[in-house]
Amino acid sequence: EIRIDALATALIGQYQVKKDDIIIVQLPNTIELIMTYMAITRTGAIFAPIPVQWRNSELEYIAGLTEAKIMITVEQFGRFNHVEMIQHSQPKIPQLTHIITLDKIRDMSHGTADTARLDQIPCDSNDVFTLCWSSGTESHPKGCPMSHNNWFVQGAILRNAVIGLSEEQETILCCAPVVNMTGVGIGVILWLLSGSTLLMHHPLDVAMCLEQIKDERATCTIFVPTVLNMILKHPQADQFDLSSLKRVMTGSAAPSVWSLQEFKRRWDIDISCGWGQTEGTALMVGVD
């Protein structure tokens, strides 16, 4: 909490961040990503997360549409230089004047926190909390603003459907990039509302992910149907220790009946199927 407030204080002091400013965030799943989201919220600004795979076309469209002045990114990820990408696009989006790298975020979070000042920033439950983006499969990505109330209600639905009313501590493994309904809803909101432990994983490495489940004793996660099949078809599938998992969710497409049956047969895991959209609705059908 202190590091979040320190980062928020630095954003206001060093970059003049104001209430309702839109800040583009392009980071992989790290603890600093979650900390950045919370810090931006403390300033009264709005975080607009985009996938690390997106390039100049999406960046130029979103930065131009939002008139964002600040972008938070990683300098290099997966052999791709994100800072160079932004610099290449800046002539087309001249208002984007500040690039804050992950290393800078870490440094800022160890500074001085002016919590009293942050507490004075007005925040209403109907203020916009996130500006997530659709995949843009039809054309340009579509911005999907969600208020604190939107997410509170959506999170309560997910919490009750996925975790239920149990007081038992959960350990949630988030494999989805924390940029949309899946990642933000499961990776941030469900974690906040349930008081659970959150584990981050991205980009996906199936073998490493399964080791993480075993080592960290994850109890809850979400896999898209393709990943369900990848796990089941892995040469060492019969050796995987998934004994800690109590709940597995899936979504984004219809899972195969075979995968649902095999998870039940191999590990006695019932998979909950979800339907949702970044525009603001997600439902989870559990198995009782």
Side-chain angles (χ1 to χ4, degrees):
E1 186 175 347
I2 294 299
R3 290 185 66 188
I4 290 171
D5 280 4
L7 178 53
T9 301
L11 288 172
I12 293 172
Q14 297 180 34
Y15 297 95
Q16 291 73 56
V17 171
K18 302 183 299 297
K19 182 173 172 58
D20 295 328
D21 283 351
I22 296 173
I23 299 177
I24 300 173
V25 181
Q26 188 178 41
L27 292 173
N29 284 7
T30 63
I31 187 62
E32 288 84 5
L33 173 66
I34 305 299
M35 183 171 63
T36 297
Y37 287 172
M38 298 298 99
I40 291 173
T41 302
R42 285 287 275 153
T43 70
I46 301 163
F47 65 88
I50 63 174
V52 291
Q53 297 91 343
W54 283 8
R55 297 295 183 250
N56 297 84
S57 175
E58 293 90 353
L59 170 62
E60 290 166 11
Y61 175 74
I62 290 171
L65 185 66
T66 62
E67 299 183 350
K69 300 180 180 65
I70 298 172
M71 181 165 178
I72 298 172
T73 189
V74 61
E75 184 168 355
Q76 187 164 318
F77 184 76
R79 299 181 182 178
F80 183 81
N81 193 303
H82 288 261
V83 173
E84 287 183 0
M85 174 188 73
I86 300 167
Q87 291 171 339
H88 181 269
S89 289
Q90 276 186 315
K92 298 181 181 179
I93 43 175
Q95 83 288 344
L96 188 64
T97 53
H98 298 295
I99 304 171
I100 308 176
T101 64
L102 181 57
D103 288 341
K104 180 66 173 177
I105 288 293
R106 292 191 182 112
D107 291 342
M108 292 162 64
S109 72
H110 289 288
T112 301
D114 190 348
T115 300
R117 179 183 183 183
L118 297 174
D119 288 343
Q120 295 302 310
I121 297 172
C123 181
D124 186 85
S125 58
N126 289 315
D127 286 346
V128 174
F129 177 53
T130 62
L131 181 59
C132 296
W133 298 86
S134 70
S135 60
T137 51
E138 297 175 352
S139 181
H140 292 302
K142 297 181 288 293
C144 308
M146 291 270 281
S147 70
H148 295 267
N149 266 340
N150 289 149
W151 276 116
F152 183 83
V153 173
Q154 181 61 64
I157 292 170
L158 288 171
R159 180 190 61 198
N160 294 336
V162 176
I163 292 181
L165 302 178
S166 171
E167 297 297 325
E168 185 177 351
Q169 180 72 16
E170 298 286 341
T171 301
I172 302 170
L173 174 64
C174 181
C175 300
V178 184
V179 296
N180 55 19
M181 174 59 71
T182 303
V184 176
I186 302 298
V188 178
I189 306 302
L190 185 59
W191 163 62
L192 288 173
L193 292 183
S194 64
S196 302
T197 298
L198 180 63
L199 305 174
M200 306 295 284
H201 183 98
H202 181 68
L204 181 70
D205 181 309
V206 171
M208 185 180 295
C209 179
L210 295 171
E211 283 295 314
Q212 192 175 9
I213 291 172
K214 181 185 71 174
D215 294 343
E216 303 292 341
R217 306 301 295 167
T219 61
C220 176
T221 192
I222 183 166
F223 293 130
V224 295
T226 300
V227 176
L228 295 177
N229 292 339
M230 290 171 65
I231 293 170
L232 290 167
K233 294 180 179 181
H234 194 282
Q236 298 176 317
D238 290 330
Q239 301 173 31
F240 295 151
D241 179 5
L242 304 184
S243 59
S244 65
L245 280 180
K246 296 183 293 183
R247 300 168 184 84
V248 174
M249 298 162 279
T250 193
S252 81
S256 65
V257 174
W258 172 78
S259 66
L260 302 181
Q261 292 173 337
E262 282 297 293
F263 263 79
K264 180 67 174 178
R265 183 183 69 84
R266 290 171 182 260
W267 300 293
D268 195 28
I269 294 175
D270 291 312
I271 296 178
S272 299
C273 298
W275 177 91
Q277 54 188 351
T278 297
E279 284 78 356
T281 306
L283 300 173
M284 192 65 61
V285 178
V287 178
D288 191 350

